[in-house]
Each structure stands twice: as structure tokens, then as C-alpha cells.
């Protein structure tokens, strides 16, 4: 009856063909529930699609089989201050049900309540020190359907759950990362964003660096970061950089070291060999941990942001596939490489 009742939320735990445990949920006037997943049905408030590395969302890179669950997770927020938000694995479908099939990891807790994990799991990482200049990466955990915190399974969809972490909760903090196996979300609080740099601030930093008239040390032409809206077309004055040493130049076509490695170039300033790429100012303000000037570039994509933001993201291990982790550029999701995943840029000022 609970399953067929359209006004009643319920979770069904299928134990075997002839045994299912149904847990009924009641309405709560003190909280609001928001659901995240790739389904476009009305119960999903935030439709999430797979993040394609390098942000080339054209037809050729369309993923045929998404690993993001249709009803991936739900976030329950208190209506009264401090507006605490809690995350739970799995979301209710259009008939207000969650079904955990026979193969899903599920169990009965000592106090008698049922719990389980979704196929590919919902992982959460709370950074140490919130989302500030002093932040450090935290530990990735898995969140259960009832919101308990577990250590990670051996692989993403293993049958055996991890160990219960009793001293941690499912409360989201400013800077918490939520991984849905195919996309990673950054949770920012209203208070956190109030103290964060804004789009206007990033535009002011862009104008400030352009006003200093950085020059190409070889061509002696003035360089300028293109406006945020022009983020797909490489412009004539665009700064380029050698990512092994950080020397900033205008575009030039010499210095190729081999025919096979198209992007192995020799810097004319210091003769260091490495990739040579156009620089782009990272334009999503929510990814910045501070309001510092854009001095560092991620390698190998060339997105530029403040030193502390670059160093923070270059240390964050983001889940990749079923059991790998690697750092990625927050602006384009490209896997980071190089000695420190980012490089300090060396600009040449105007000669006059």
C-alpha cells in the first residue's frame, strides 16, 4: 500500500524474490528536500550530466552510457537557521519511491533500521578548514541511503560496504565535494559565497593585469587576457605560456622539438622543453578560495587563477572511474599533470 500511495515517500529494500522491507517516510514541515540526478523527471531539482574532460561537449564526445544514477542523491535542508543541509544517497522517483534491488548492498543496523548503498555510490569529501586559503583536502567517504558515513568500498560498486565512521556526519559544509560517479559537485554555502570573490572581482583582476601591459619577450607585442565572454576563441593578443617553466609569450610558431610530439616546444627564454598553450582566466568565481591576483596556471590546460586556488585544486584527488583518483582543473575537468599540477607564470613587463 505504501508503494502505490502517490502521496507517501517510501524506500523498498529487496532482500530476496519473496522478501522486501518497505520503510515509510512522513512529511516534515521543518525541512525542504532537493534531489540531484540525471533524470529529467520532475522530482529531480538539479539535472546533472557527465563531466567531459576538457569541456568539449560536442557530438563526438557524447557518452553513450552514463554512470550517474537517474535519482542519485537527495539533500535535506533545515528551514530555520543555521539551515543545516544533509546529504543522503538515492533520490525518490516520480512515484515517491526508492527501490534497492537484490544486488544492491543493504543491511539491517543493530537498532533495527534498514540501510543500503546505491550501485556506484555517492561519495563526499569535506575539506579540512572549510573552503578558505588555509583549506586542505579531506578524506573521501561514502554516504548511505539513510545518511550514515562509511569508508570507501574496495571498488566503486563492490558488494561489501566499508566500515561505519561513527564520528563523522552527512552534514554538508562550505567546500564539500559530492561525487556522483561521472560528475563532481562543489557545495558552497550562502555565507561562504558572501565572502568569496565575485564575477566583478575577477573581471577587475583581468583588467588590472591587462593594464600592466605584459609583453611577449620575443615579439615585444602587448598581451591581453580576452574578456570572460570570449572564452572559446584564441585571440591575437592572447597570452601563451610554456608550462614547464612558466614564461609567458605571445603566440609564435617556432621551437618545435619533434614532429611526433606536436606540443613539445623549447622556451626561447630559458630553453626548457614542455607544452606551450594559450592561457585562459578561470571564470567561475565559486572555485576561488581567495581573491588573489591570477598568477598561476594549471597544467596542461592553461586555466589561470590565484596561487592559493591553484595549489588547493592541484592537491584535491577527484574520483575517476571505479577506483582511481586524480587532480583535475576545476574550470575544465582536464586531468592535471606536470611536477606540481600548476605553474607560477612569469610575465615580462613593458620595456618602456
Amino acid at each position: 500500500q505504501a508503494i502505490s500511495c502517490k502521496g507517501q515517500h517510501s524506500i523498498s529494500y529487496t532482500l530476496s524474490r519473496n522478501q522486501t522491507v518497505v520503510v515509510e517516510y512522513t512529511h516534515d514541515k521543518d525541512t525542504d528536500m532537493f534531489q540531484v540526478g540525471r533524470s529529467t523527471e520532475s522530482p529531480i531539482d538539479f539535472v546533472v550530466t557527465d563531466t567531459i574532460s576538457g569541456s568539449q561537449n560536442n557530438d563526438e564526445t557524447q557518452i553513450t552510457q552514463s554512470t550517474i544514477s537517474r535519482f542519485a542523491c537527495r539533500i535535506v535542508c533545515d528551514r530555520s537557521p543555521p539551515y543545516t543541509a544533509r546529504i543522503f544517497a538515492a533520490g525518490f522517483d516520480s512515484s515517491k519511491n526508492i527501490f534497492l534491488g537484490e544486488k544492491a548492498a543493504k543491511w539491517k543496523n543493530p537498532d533495527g533500521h534498514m540501510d543500503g548503498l546505491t550501485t556506484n555510490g555517492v561519495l563526499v569529501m569535506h575539506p579540512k578548514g572549510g573552503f578558505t586559503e588555509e583549506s586542505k583536502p579531506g578524506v573521501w567517504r561514502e554516504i548511505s541511503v539513510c545518511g550514515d558515513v562509511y569508508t570507501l568500498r574496495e571498488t566503486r560498486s563492490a558488494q561489501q560496504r566499508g566500515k561505519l565512521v561513527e564520528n563523522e556526519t552527512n552534514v554538508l559544509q562550505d567546500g564539500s565535494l559530492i561525487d556522483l560517479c561521472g560528475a563532481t559537485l562543489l557545495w558552497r554555502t550562502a555565507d561562504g559565497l558572501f565572502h568569496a570573490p565575485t564575477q566583478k572581482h575577477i573581471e577587475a583582476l583581468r583588467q588590472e593585469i591587462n593594464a600592466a601591459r605584459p609583453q611577449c619577450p620575443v615579439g615585444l607585442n602587448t598581451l591581453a587576457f580576452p574578456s570572460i565572454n570570449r572564452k572559446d576563441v584564441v585571440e591575437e593578443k592572447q597570452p601563451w605560456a610554456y608550462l614547464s617553466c612558466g614564461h609567458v609569450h605571445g603566440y609564435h610558431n617556432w621551437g618545435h622539438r619533434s614532429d611526433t610530439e606536436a606540443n613539445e616546444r623549447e622556451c626561447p627564454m630559458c630553453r626548457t622543453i614542455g607544452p606551450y598553450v594559450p592561457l585562459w582566466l578561470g571564470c567561475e568565481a565559486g572555485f576561488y578560495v581567495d581573491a588573489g591576483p591570477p598568477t598561476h596556471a594549471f597544467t596542461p590546460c592553461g586555466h589561470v587563477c590565484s596561487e592559493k586556488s591553484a595549489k588547493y585544486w592541484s592537491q584535491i584527488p577527484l574520483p575517476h572511474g571505479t577506483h582511481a583518483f586524480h587532480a583535475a582543473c576545476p574550470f575544465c575537468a582536464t586531468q592535471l599533470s606536470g611536477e606540481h599540477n600548476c605553474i607560477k607564470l612569469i610575465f615580462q613587463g613593458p620595456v618602456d
Side-chain angles (χ1 to χ4, degrees):
Q1 194 174 350
I3 294 173
S4 57
C5 173
K6 285 278 187 270
Q8 173 95 47
H9 288 83
S10 71
I11 302 181
S12 303
Y13 299 87
T14 305
L15 304 180
S16 64
R17 278 186 188 166
N18 49 17
Q19 191 184 17
T20 299
V21 175
V22 178
V23 180
E24 297 178 44
Y25 277 63
T26 55
H27 287 278
D28 179 2
K29 65 182 188 333
D30 301 319
T31 60
D32 287 300
M33 181 175 74
F34 302 93
Q35 300 205 145
V36 183
R38 69 177 161 87
S39 172
T40 51
E41 289 185 40
S42 58
I44 293 296
D45 302 287
F46 300 97
V47 178
V48 175
T49 55
D50 297 73
T51 303
I52 297 166
S53 173
S55 72
Q56 292 126 1
N57 280 321
N58 57 27
D59 297 336
E60 292 168 32
T61 52
Q62 282 305 309
I63 293 178
T64 47
Q65 197 61 50
S66 175
T67 47
I68 300 173
S69 170
R70 287 170 55 241
F71 298 90
C73 66
R74 60 197 193 281
I75 294 168
V76 175
C77 304
D78 287 352
R79 285 182 173 178
S80 51
Y83 309 112
T84 305
R86 293 178 174 80
I87 185 166
F88 302 83
F92 293 97
D93 64 17
S94 49
S95 53
K96 299 195 174 176
N97 297 316
I98 292 174
F99 290 102
L100 288 185
E102 260 184 272
K103 288 185 178 172
K106 65 189 92 59
W107 59 90
K108 192 180 224 175
N109 281 308
D111 64 0
H113 82 259
M114 292 293 299
D115 203 351
L117 304 173
T118 55
T119 306
N120 289 326
V122 172
L123 310 188
V124 170
M125 189 202 80
H126 306 300
K128 295 173 188 153
F131 198 69
T132 64
E133 298 177 23
E134 272 66 60
S135 296
K136 291 278 180 289
V139 181
W140 282 99
R141 302 292 196 207
E142 180 162 11
I143 303 297
S144 73
V145 172
C146 291
D148 285 338
V149 181
Y150 287 85
T151 59
L152 301 190
R153 293 179 260 184
E154 269 191 33
T155 59
R156 197 77 197 223
S157 55
Q159 293 289 302
Q160 191 62 42
R161 71 178 188 268
K163 291 190 176 70
L164 179 68
V165 185
E166 293 189 22
N167 59 342
E168 293 180 24
T169 72
N170 63 337
V171 173
L172 293 170
Q173 307 159 11
D174 191 33
S176 291
L177 289 168
I178 302 163
D179 188 80
L180 304 177
C181 195
T184 307
L185 313 179
L186 171 66
W187 177 266
R188 295 301 312 266
T189 61
D191 187 54
L193 286 174
F194 181 75
H195 294 100
T198 61
Q199 209 74 44
K200 274 186 181 169
H201 180 82
I202 294 171
E203 177 57 24
L205 289 173
R206 183 186 79 86
Q207 290 181 10
E208 196 177 317
I209 204 165
N210 288 350
R213 292 177 58 221
Q215 289 195 332
C216 174
V218 178
L220 300 181
N221 50 315
T222 304
L223 307 174
F225 278 99
S227 72
I228 300 292
N229 311 330
R230 304 271 316 199
K231 59 178 186 290
D232 298 324
V233 187
V234 178
E235 298 193 349
E236 196 183 344
K237 286 184 164 186
Q238 187 127 4
W240 286 61
Y242 286 90
L243 295 181
S244 294
C245 58
H247 280 112
V248 178
H249 292 258
Y251 179 72
H252 50 247
N253 202 19
W254 64 80
H256 289 281
R257 296 298 294 174
S258 72
D259 297 331
T260 49
E261 284 294 326
N263 211 16
E264 285 294 296
R265 306 276 284 269
E266 181 179 273
C267 172
M269 297 295 285
C270 66
R271 311 208 65 177
T272 306
I273 294 164
Y276 177 62
V277 301
L279 297 178
W280 306 93
L281 203 55
C283 59
E284 175 46 70
F287 292 144
Y288 285 73
V289 298
D290 70 334
T295 55
H296 284 61
F298 290 109
T299 56
C301 60
H303 275 104
V304 178
C305 62
S306 68
E307 177 180 7
K308 286 182 173 165
S309 299
K311 289 190 171 168
Y312 175 73
W313 287 104
S314 62
Q315 295 171 36
I316 296 279
L318 294 174
H320 181 71
T322 55
H323 51 269
F325 289 82
H326 61 63
C329 170
F331 302 106
C332 68
T334 298
Q335 184 172 338
L336 299 182
S337 59
E339 200 178 337
H340 301 293
N341 291 337
C342 63
I343 185 91
K344 185 180 186 343
L345 297 171
I346 305 166
F347 287 94
Q348 169 132 333
V351 181
D352 56 311

